[in-house]
Amino acid sequence: MMTKKYDQPDAMIFDMDGTLFRTETILIDAYYRMFDSLRDEKLYEGETPPVENILNSLGMLLAAIWKRVMPDASEETHRRADDLLLEYEIDELKNGKPELYEGVEETLRILKERGIRLFVASNGLEPYVKDVAYYTGIKPLFEDLYSAGEYKTASKVELVRLLLEKHQIRSAWMVGDRSSDMEAALGNNLIAVGCDYAKFRSSGELKDADLRITSFSDILNHLV
């Protein structure tokens, strides 16, 4: 089968979790610590929900994640969970072993050397997105990092639109592993690249992708 190729775009916009970053390398421990703290603070009772509930929700806004993970908990509990998870994830970033997917840094460097402008667009909180980029060593490769937490956007379509307008980008690829990434591409007339290696997604989430990659470095094979 011939590899589908496209002209080089002005820019590539990447999701963070499940695309560049192996989120589970810090999230699992932070998740369990968060629920221990919620119980200590009398904001949550009962057993910790299966960690798969949050892993399968990555890419969603936090407010939507908590409605899935602990639907019966109060709004106060959800907002406290925002703060605790961020605190513990950053602690894990500083003291743990955060991992990028294989080939991410090397491939980003090649893309940048080819003159492609690189950006991140994530539905995460601002400190989290910026700290992941910093502690994994890839922050200098990006022109800018956009997060829903910083720009208070209700969807990734809106977040990516802001990015495109601010940086006057004419052509771009949106690279991600969830349906929100595909929607962001379609909603802004971008090439949609579906990352099919994190395995957090549900069936059918990448159905609208223009192309799929099974390893990060495979993106290079689709450039003319």
Side-chain angles (χ1 to χ4, degrees):
M1 183 182 295
M2 290 185 61
T3 300
K4 197 171 185 179
K5 291 183 179 287
Y6 293 86
D7 290 336
Q8 179 168 307
D10 293 337
M12 289 191 185
I13 304 167
F14 298 91
D15 175 47
M16 181 65 82
D17 294 323
T19 299
L20 303 174
F21 181 50
R22 289 185 181 272
T23 316
E24 67 273 22
T25 59
I26 66 161
L27 176 60
I28 293 174
D29 286 347
Y31 179 79
Y32 286 115
R33 289 175 66 188
M34 180 198 76
F35 272 101
D36 287 343
S37 294
L38 289 175
R39 281 188 288 265
D40 289 344
E41 296 177 13
K42 311 300 183 187
L43 290 172
Y44 187 85
E45 295 180 354
E47 298 295 319
T48 299
V51 72
E52 289 77 17
N53 289 6
I54 194 168
L55 289 174
N56 292 334
S57 302
L58 291 174
M60 299 169 64
L61 295 168
L62 270 178
I65 289 176
W66 298 138
K67 287 177 181 177
R68 176 181 287 189
V69 171
M70 41 179 167
D72 298 325
S74 67
E75 185 68 19
E76 178 190 6
T77 298
H78 288 179
R79 298 291 70 78
R80 181 62 177 145
D82 289 346
D83 295 338
L84 287 169
L85 187 66
L86 176 62
E87 176 186 345
Y88 295 148
E89 283 183 321
I90 290 176
D91 187 44
E92 293 291 331
L93 279 169
K94 292 177 180 177
N95 301 303
K97 294 181 180 178
E99 295 179 18
L100 300 168
Y101 285 100
E102 184 177 357
V104 164
E105 184 172 357
E106 299 87 343
T107 303
L108 290 175
R109 290 188 185 281
I110 292 170
L111 294 171
K112 189 176 179 71
E113 287 168 2
R114 289 187 60 158
I116 298 173
R117 301 165 69 188
L118 306 180
F119 298 86
V120 165
S122 167
N123 275 336
L125 297 175
E126 178 186 3
Y128 170 79
V129 172
K130 291 182 176 178
D131 278 0
V132 168
Y134 175 77
Y135 284 105
T136 56
I138 59 174
K139 189 173 183 179
L141 298 174
F142 293 99
E143 188 170 330
D144 210 342
L145 307 171
Y146 274 61
S147 64
E150 180 176 4
Y151 289 93
K152 311 301 181 189
T153 47
S155 71
K156 189 165 282 190
V157 175
E158 183 183 351
L159 183 66
V160 170
R161 184 174 295 125
L162 287 174
L163 188 161
L164 294 169
E165 290 174 354
K166 179 179 177 180
H167 293 278
Q168 300 182 328
I169 295 168
R170 295 170 298 174
S171 64
W173 293 11
M174 179 68 223
V175 185
D177 68 313
R178 303 307 300 263
S179 59
S180 58
D181 301 307
M182 304 303 99
E183 290 162 5
L186 289 170
N188 290 287
N189 297 312
L190 310 180
I191 296 296
V193 182
C195 299
D196 205 7
Y197 45 80
K199 308 306 180 187
F200 296 144
R201 63 178 178 81
S202 301
S203 176
E205 285 200 72
L206 301 181
K207 62 181 176 58
D208 293 322
D210 294 296
L211 59 97
R212 293 193 191 195
I213 56 175
T214 55
S215 65
F216 190 79
S217 60
D218 191 35
I219 200 168
L220 297 171
N221 297 327
H222 294 279
L223 286 167
V224 172

